[in-house]
């Protein structure tokens, strides 16, 4: 077992170095070690983006080490598969800490968006603590894809004095439009769940690769442009080998 490790989970936005906060830059330069996950050849662009961010802001002699990220099983049930995946990632983190920080120190992990929103790093760090690791967790907030989406489209996130519901593609597909929601933000949607909704009276603002050079934006009435988004998304994924996208749905007539 190593000495005490301070682990900094650093929100890095959507891959654009300009999204980094001053706090994020300080935390990266204050780390003894930064771990970068490899997700296979098809997603090598994601690793390259993290390296680019390191190259653009690191001024200290910080060690940057790559590691192979375990792959989540696609076999249901979903929550059990995710729990097993988190356990595997925690094991990899522990082995990297033992190898590179045997006496303890400061570790940084670069997290897409913000660590608090639909990300697993906080739960994985907690799992290590429950397992007896001497680990102090620090979170550096980052710009979320939701903020980049609304900025790119030049729209307000919420209607006037109205709530916003944030959900996943899986929940939208399985449960449909939630209750009396007026504005819905959908993340982690790999199957274009909006296509299963009755499109009448809904508007959509969709974005992929937000903040990156290949950013793609489409907006309009869901009934008219929903099929276009489905086709465009498939083409982009085929071209790049991966895709990260998010979208906002709003009932027509809601005061934005």
């Amino acid at each position: 077992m190593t000495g005490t490790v301070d682990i900094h989970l650093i929100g890095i936005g959507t891959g654009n170095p300009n999204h980094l906060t001053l706090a994020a830059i300080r935390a990266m330069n204050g780390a003894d070690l930064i771990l970068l996950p490899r997700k296979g050849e098809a997603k090598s662009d994601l690793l390259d983006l993290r390296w680019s961010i390191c190259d653009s802001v690191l001024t200290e002699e910080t060690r940057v080490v790559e590691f192979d990220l375990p792959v989540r099983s696609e076999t249901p049930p979903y929550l059990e598969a995710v729990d097993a995946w988190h356990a595997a990632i925690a094991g990899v983190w522990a082995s990297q800490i033992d190898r590179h920080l045997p006496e303890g120190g400061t570790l940084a992990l670069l997290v897409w968006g913000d660590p608090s929103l639909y990300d697993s790093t906080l739960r994985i760090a907690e799992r290590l603590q429950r397992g007896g690791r001497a680990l102090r967790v620090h979170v550096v907030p980052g710009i979320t894809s939701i903020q980049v989406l609304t900025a790119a489209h030049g729209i307000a996130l919420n209607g006037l004095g109205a709530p916003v519901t944030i959900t996943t593609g899986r929940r939208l597909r399985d449960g449909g439009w939630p209750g009396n929601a007026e504005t819905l933000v959908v993340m982690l949607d790999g199957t274009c769940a909006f296509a299963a909704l009755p499109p009448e009276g809904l508007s959509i603002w969709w974005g992929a690769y937000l903040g990156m050079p290949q950013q793609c934006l489409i907006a309009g009435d869901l009934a008219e442009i929903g099929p276009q988004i489905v086709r465009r998304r498939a083409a982009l994924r085929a071209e790049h080998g991966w895709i990260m996208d998010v979208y906002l749905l709003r009932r027509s007539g809601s005061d934005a």
Side-chain angles (χ1 to χ4, degrees):
M1 191 73 71
T2 64
T4 300
V5 172
D6 286 277
I7 181 170
H8 292 258
L9 306 178
I10 303 172
I12 60 171
T14 60
N16 186 330
N18 292 326
H19 290 173
L20 290 179
T21 64
L22 294 177
I25 294 171
R26 283 195 298 270
M28 290 177 65
N29 279 287
D32 300 309
L33 173 70
I34 296 175
L35 290 178
L36 302 183
R38 286 190 296 256
K39 299 184 178 182
E41 188 61 32
K43 296 184 177 180
S44 61
D45 285 358
L46 299 176
L47 178 62
D48 292 342
L49 282 169
R50 282 187 167 98
W51 271 112
S52 176
I53 288 171
C54 290
D55 291 341
S56 67
V57 304
L58 288 179
T59 59
E60 304 296 332
E61 294 297 322
T62 301
R63 281 182 294 166
V64 182
V65 175
E66 298 178 11
F67 70 97
D68 291 318
L69 189 73
V71 177
R72 176 171 62 83
S73 171
E74 296 298 329
T75 303
Y78 171 74
L79 291 180
E80 290 183 12
V82 170
D83 184 67
W85 182 48
H86 287 178
I89 295 173
V92 173
W93 286 12
S95 66
Q96 293 296 318
I97 290 171
D98 290 342
R99 178 179 180 183
H100 298 289
L101 296 174
E103 303 301 321
T106 303
L107 167 66
L109 289 157
L110 308 184
V111 180
W112 295 113
D114 182 276
S116 70
L117 183 63
Y118 284 112
D119 183 81
S120 301
T121 48
L122 277 165
R123 294 182 181 89
I124 295 167
E126 182 183 4
R127 183 183 289 260
L128 286 175
Q129 290 175 317
R130 292 199 308 267
R133 285 273 165 178
L135 201 67
R136 290 190 293 253
V137 179
H138 311 267
V139 177
V140 180
I143 294 175
T144 70
S145 60
I146 299 172
Q147 293 165 282
V148 185
L149 176 74
T150 56
H153 282 289
I155 59 171
L157 173 61
N158 58 290
L160 187 61
V164 174
T165 300
I166 302 173
T167 189
T168 66
R170 182 184 301 274
R171 286 195 174 274
L172 181 63
R173 183 179 65 249
D174 293 345
W177 188 271
N180 295 320
E182 293 182 6
T183 297
L184 195 63
V185 175
V186 184
M187 306 179 70
L188 304 177
D189 184 6
T191 60
C192 295
F194 59 80
L197 295 173
E200 292 76 17
L202 292 177
S203 298
I204 186 170
W205 291 263
W206 175 84
Y209 310 105
L210 291 165
M212 303 178 193
Q214 62 268 47
Q215 175 176 286
C216 181
L217 303 172
I218 301 176
D221 293 336
L222 181 60
E224 296 179 8
I225 66 167
Q228 177 187 343
I229 293 173
V230 173
R231 292 191 301 270
R232 184 63 174 145
R233 187 185 191 280
L236 288 169
R237 182 165 189 168
E239 178 182 353
H240 298 288
W242 61 277
I243 191 167
M244 287 196 294
D245 61 336
V246 62
Y247 55 90
L248 183 150
L249 292 163
R250 185 142 40 217
R251 292 192 184 280
S252 301
S254 298
D255 186 358

